[in-house]
Amino acid sequence: MGKKLYIQTLGCAMNERDSAHIIAELQEKEHYFLTQNPKEADLILINTCSVREKPEKKLFSEIGQYAKLKKQDAKIGVCGCTASHLGDVILKRSKSVDFVLGARNVSKISQIIHQKRVAWVDIDYDDSAYVFSQNPNSTLKGMINISIGCDKKCTYCIVPHTRGNEISIPAALILDEAKRMVGDGVKEILLLGQNVNNYGKRFSNEHRAINFTQLLNEISQINGLERIRFTSPHPLHMDDDFISEFARNPKICKSIHMPLQSGSNAILQKMRRGYTKEWFLNRIEKMRSLIPCLSVGTDIIVGFPTESEEDFLDTLDMLEKVRFDTLYSFIYSSRPHTQAQKWLEEDKSVKLVDEEVAKERLMLLKERHKEILTEDNFKQIGKIHSILFESFDEENLLLEGRSDTNKLVRVKAGRNLVGEICKVKISQIKGAQLLGELI
Ligand code: SAH
Ligand code: SF4
Ligand code: F3S
């Protein structure tokens, strides 16, 4: 009998990808298999996120809960961004933790599980660390990290501290991994990085010079691969070359996540985002002129220190102008190792926005976005989309899949078409769901 692994994954797609790597490594090298029940696990891993304060604070109570319910000899490991951020402080604060493994050290998982009470959180990197075990359970969709870390240093963000400097993974490794996945049946690949379109800026060694647009083009030439997605691109690096490849290449899905963060130029400057709202709008207009069906998602922070009512109205105005298809919105959370936190501590004129005001702004933003989504969803009726079917509910004969534009669509069908891409006409809207018919 193999050993059982329970893993909890918090945070972004990069953490999900790291968890997939961890699972694959432990399956192949240590004969673990996954369980959904922490009570029966031999190893409990928490893959943590530290982008906002709340989840980080909850970590120690979560460790306490796992410590109570775990089997007697089971181990607990803390991985990911909070592991990088707090390092051996986690071991000092919690006697139940057996090891701490940083976000940049996941390839060492099969070694660290045999250690006692250690924290490995260094951010040095060599190429061997990019090569991971292959996940034997690959499905229709695959994720590939194309870069690690971030050089941007936006003033609110802890990620450059937890994930280190930005390093691009050599294109040869990415292409090999993509080909291997497609050989295993993967139809859609999601390319991951904090700044995907800054790809190629720095490699850890001498490697072929190649930028993001060229990388997209080369990946798209893999036979059998149907779709490419990527997240997150930075609005600053969206040059015309990228936009024309994005529009022209039929394998690149026509949905893009473009984190705006704020609609106010003054706040964008304080956040050190490097673009203005005019540049952001110009990029959207250029893309929409070439791709009328384009779907655009975004991230917005409200209540950044000094954000005035007028600044917030600028953000609402951007929502009206762009009409984002998806919106992830957050109240500013002050994080250690960030410039904004330093300003708050050292400059008396920089103040946090009142909590109630920030909550109200978040609510207004979310409500208006909901209305926009409902209005825009109705415009989908009669439209034809290509859907990659991902699941089939045999009892209700319902297929579910995503359009090229990343909309979730359900279709009644007499047979299982999972893995196929079919044309579907949208016929009905039910809440946020799109229902359609095969044509
Ligand atoms: N690399 C991506 C974002 C990574 S973090 C980019 O450049 O946009 C994911 C999201 O968390 C961010 O887009 C931001 O909206 C949010 N976020 C990051 N730091 C935050 C903070 N201190 N408080 C609130 N939200 C934050
Ligand atoms: Fe954070 Fe900015 Fe880097 Fe995104 S680009 S990870 S928000 S520092
Ligand atoms: Fe969180 Fe780390 Fe991702 S801080 S958002 S898990 S890069």
Side-chain angles (χ1 to χ4, degrees), residues 36 53 66 74 122 170 182 195 218 252 259 271 299 304 306 309 331 354 362 385-386 399 438:
Q36 304 302 326
E53 194 186 2
Y66 285 132
D122 61 80
V182 173
N195 254 312
E218 291 190 20
I252 305 178
M271 288 176 160
D299 294 346
F304 184 82
T306 77
E309 193 58 29
I331 293 179
D354 178 82
L362 187 72
H385 287 285
S386 294
L399 281 163
L438 288 169

Side-chain angles (χ1 to χ4, degrees), residues 121-299:
V121 292
D122 61 80
I123 53 169
D124 291 339
Y125 236 81
D126 65 57
D127 284 0
S128 64
Y130 306 139
V131 186
F132 295 97
S133 300
Q134 300 175 2
N135 188 349
N137 310 318
S138 61
T139 49
L140 290 172
K141 291 175 164 189
M143 291 190 268
I144 302 182
N145 272 344
I146 65 165
S147 58
I148 293 156
C150 179
D151 278 354
K152 279 284 181 288
K153 310 232 179 328
C154 302
T155 55
Y156 50 82
C157 184
I158 196 174
V159 171
H161 172 75
T162 62
R163 297 226 165 209
N165 286 349
E166 189 174 307
I167 293 178
S168 300
I169 294 175
L173 289 179
I174 297 171
L175 286 160
D176 280 354
E177 194 164 356
K179 282 179 198 150
R180 199 242 337 133
M181 281 181 171
V182 173
D184 286 348
V186 164
K187 299 258 162 94
E188 179 178 308
I189 287 181
L190 173 63
L191 305 174
L192 296 174
Q194 289 298 353
N195 254 312
V196 276
N197 51 348
N198 202 27
Y199 178 81
K201 186 180 153 205
R202 186 195 302 127
F203 293 100
S204 59
N205 250 311
E206 284 284 303
H207 286 289
R208 176 165 68 102
I210 170 171
N211 67 22
F212 183 59
T213 307
Q214 291 162 324
L215 181 72
L216 282 175
N217 182 281
E218 291 190 20
I219 294 176
S220 74
Q221 288 172 36
I222 297 174
N223 277 335
L225 177 63
E226 306 272 0
R227 287 174 159 189
I228 305 171
R229 298 188 192 274
F230 50 86
T231 196
S232 294
H234 195 293
L236 180 67
H237 303 300
M238 284 191 184
D239 58 23
D240 289 349
D241 262 7
F242 160 75
I243 291 181
S244 77
E245 180 69 20
F246 180 56
R248 179 204 67 77
N249 192 324
K251 288 196 183 176
I252 305 178
C253 289
K254 301 303 179 250
S255 92
I256 197 159
H257 188 71
M258 260 177 92
L260 170 66
Q261 312 299 2
S262 169
S264 149
N265 281 342
I267 296 293
L268 283 173
Q269 202 180 8
K270 288 178 192 168
M271 288 176 160
R272 215 177 277 151
R273 289 291 289 175
Y275 54 83
T276 57
K277 63 178 176 185
E278 289 79 13
W279 167 260
F280 190 96
L281 280 176
N282 170 283
R283 298 293 84 187
I284 297 270
E285 276 157 21
K286 174 131 198 171
M287 283 189 282
R288 284 203 168 135
S289 71
L290 298 169
I291 316 161
C293 68
L294 179 73
S295 122
V296 185
T298 204
D299 294 346

Side-chain angles (χ1 to χ4, degrees), residues 10-15 48-51 81 158-159 162-163 194:
L10 305 159
C12 64
M14 268 136 279
N15 257 17
T48 56
C49 171
S50 51
V51 82
C81 285
I158 196 174
V159 171
T162 62
R163 297 226 165 209
Q194 289 298 353

Side-chain angles (χ1 to χ4, degrees), residues 247-427:
R248 179 204 67 77
N249 192 324
K251 288 196 183 176
I252 305 178
C253 289
K254 301 303 179 250
S255 92
I256 197 159
H257 188 71
M258 260 177 92
L260 170 66
Q261 312 299 2
S262 169
S264 149
N265 281 342
I267 296 293
L268 283 173
Q269 202 180 8
K270 288 178 192 168
M271 288 176 160
R272 215 177 277 151
R273 289 291 289 175
Y275 54 83
T276 57
K277 63 178 176 185
E278 289 79 13
W279 167 260
F280 190 96
L281 280 176
N282 170 283
R283 298 293 84 187
I284 297 270
E285 276 157 21
K286 174 131 198 171
M287 283 189 282
R288 284 203 168 135
S289 71
L290 298 169
I291 316 161
C293 68
L294 179 73
S295 122
V296 185
T298 204
D299 294 346
I300 287 176
I301 298 174
V302 298
F304 184 82
T306 77
E307 184 188 68
S308 65
E309 193 58 29
E310 211 182 352
D311 292 321
F312 175 64
L313 291 176
D314 281 347
T315 298
L316 278 182
D317 183 51
M318 285 296 277
L319 178 60
E320 295 302 327
K321 289 197 165 102
V322 182
R323 300 179 75 87
F324 296 102
D325 295 74
T326 50
L327 166 70
Y328 297 98
S329 48
F330 317 96
I331 293 179
Y332 169 78
S333 165
S334 184
R335 306 304 293 125
H337 310 285
T338 61
Q339 186 59 47
Q341 188 171 72
K342 246 191 220 153
W343 285 331
L344 283 164
E345 285 165 1
E346 292 168 8
D347 183 344
K348 293 272 168 289
S349 70
V350 179
K351 288 197 178 65
L352 272 178
V353 170
D354 178 82
E355 205 184 319
E356 289 310 309
V357 173
K359 277 187 186 158
E360 170 87 13
R361 285 180 189 167
L362 187 72
M363 195 194 70
L364 283 171
L365 191 69
K366 283 189 166 167
E367 295 214 325
R368 181 59 196 133
H369 179 248
K370 224 165 138 192
E371 288 167 9
I372 289 178
L373 258 193
T374 312
E375 290 161 22
D376 288 356
N377 270 348
F378 275 101
K379 293 182 200 150
Q380 291 290 327
I381 290 182
K383 295 244 159 81
I384 292 169
H385 287 285
S386 294
I387 310 294
L388 169 59
F389 289 117
E390 292 167 32
S391 69
F392 183 53
D393 169 357
E394 284 186 23
E395 218 171 281
N396 300 303
L397 299 176
L398 264 184
L399 281 163
E400 191 176 278
R402 284 199 180 260
S403 68
D404 183 81
T405 52
N406 212 18
K407 305 250 181 244
L408 191 66
V409 178
R410 292 207 169 91
V411 175
K412 249 214 160 23
R415 61 200 174 96
N416 187 345
L417 295 170
V418 169
E420 293 190 33
I421 296 183
C422 304
K423 294 261 183 245
V424 167
K425 189 174 183 176
I426 306 303
S427 52

